[in-house]
Amino acid sequence: MGGHRQDDVPAVTDAALLQSVASGDDAALAALYDRHAGWLHARLTRRCADPEVVREVVQDTFVTVWRSAAGHRGQEAGGWLWTIAARRLVDARRVQERAARVEPLPGPAATPSAEDRVLAGLEYGDVGTALDRISPELREVLRATVVDGLSTRETALLLGIPEGTVKSRALRARAELRTALARLNPAPMGGPA
């Protein structure tokens, strides 16, 4: 079959591609897109059932990469890309929520997914209020690991802290969040609500 085998081509690191993107190399952006768009799309699809929103979020993610590649810290781009994509998804949902409040859609109302209810609770409900009451360094670890779904390693790369620090902050954050939630809802466990 003509051509060369994939093994014959030296692997270009994400960091090298991002440096090229930062210099305005659109071929490097295309290579980065080819390398990461598939898994980003699959992961976003698990969080959002609307394929149009997923496509827009993937596109917005790479537009952001084009604009801010020079600011990337680290060797691997996966965690950084996922953080951008997860934030773009939250932004897209906020836009949809605002549009729904302004102009209700005709027909029966769709039941929000469990994830939509959790994200709304994180932003607007008691969980959001409790999150605002814990320290910022603990809050950012919780947002990265829980809301954005990053691994401990990805969170460590994103925040520039050791993995052990991510783990200990996550434990402390959960404990502080439970305490803050208990203060917001002082009803005794097992008692009437």
Side-chain angles (χ1 to χ4, degrees):
M1 295 226 197
H4 61 276
R5 290 183 21 208
Q6 186 78 8
D7 297 341
D8 296 338
V9 178
V12 177
T13 65
D14 286 347
L17 286 173
L18 285 166
Q19 286 177 339
S20 296
V21 170
S23 300
D25 183 349
D26 56 352
L29 181 65
L32 202 63
Y33 180 90
D34 290 343
R35 185 177 290 176
H36 294 285
W39 70 262
L40 276 172
H41 189 275
R43 199 163 176 187
L44 287 164
T45 299
R46 288 193 297 261
R47 292 178 172 248
C48 177
D50 186 338
E52 185 60 32
V53 170
V54 170
R55 279 191 292 276
E56 287 176 17
V57 167
V58 170
Q59 181 180 357
D60 288 349
T61 298
F62 285 94
V63 168
T64 301
V65 168
W66 179 256
R67 291 180 182 151
S68 60
H72 177 260
R73 311 176 317 256
Q75 295 295 327
E76 296 180 31
W80 185 59
L81 288 169
W82 176 246
T83 299
I84 293 169
R87 289 179 179 158
R88 293 296 168 264
L89 181 59
V90 170
D91 291 344
R93 286 186 170 150
R94 285 180 183 150
V95 167
Q96 286 177 327
E97 287 172 9
R98 275 187 238 127
R101 283 187 292 223
V102 171
E103 188 177 313
L105 297 173
T111 304
S113 69
E115 185 172 58
D116 288 338
R117 290 191 306 272
V118 168
L119 287 173
L122 284 175
E123 187 173 354
Y124 302 113
D126 286 346
V127 175
T129 302
L131 270 174
D132 287 340
R133 293 182 180 180
I134 67 174
S135 62
E137 69 272 1
L138 299 181
R139 182 172 47 244
E140 67 185 6
V141 167
L142 269 186
R143 287 191 192 280
T145 57
V146 178
V147 178
D148 295 339
L150 299 178
S151 69
T152 300
R153 183 169 185 245
E154 291 168 332
T155 301
L157 287 171
L158 173 71
L159 300 177
I161 58 177
E163 289 182 44
T165 303
V166 170
K167 291 176 184 177
S168 64
R169 284 184 184 175
L171 284 172
R172 284 186 13 236
R174 286 182 177 100
E176 283 191 26
L177 187 62
R178 277 191 297 272
T179 301
L181 282 169
R183 287 183 185 141
L184 288 170
N185 296 307
M189 295 295 250

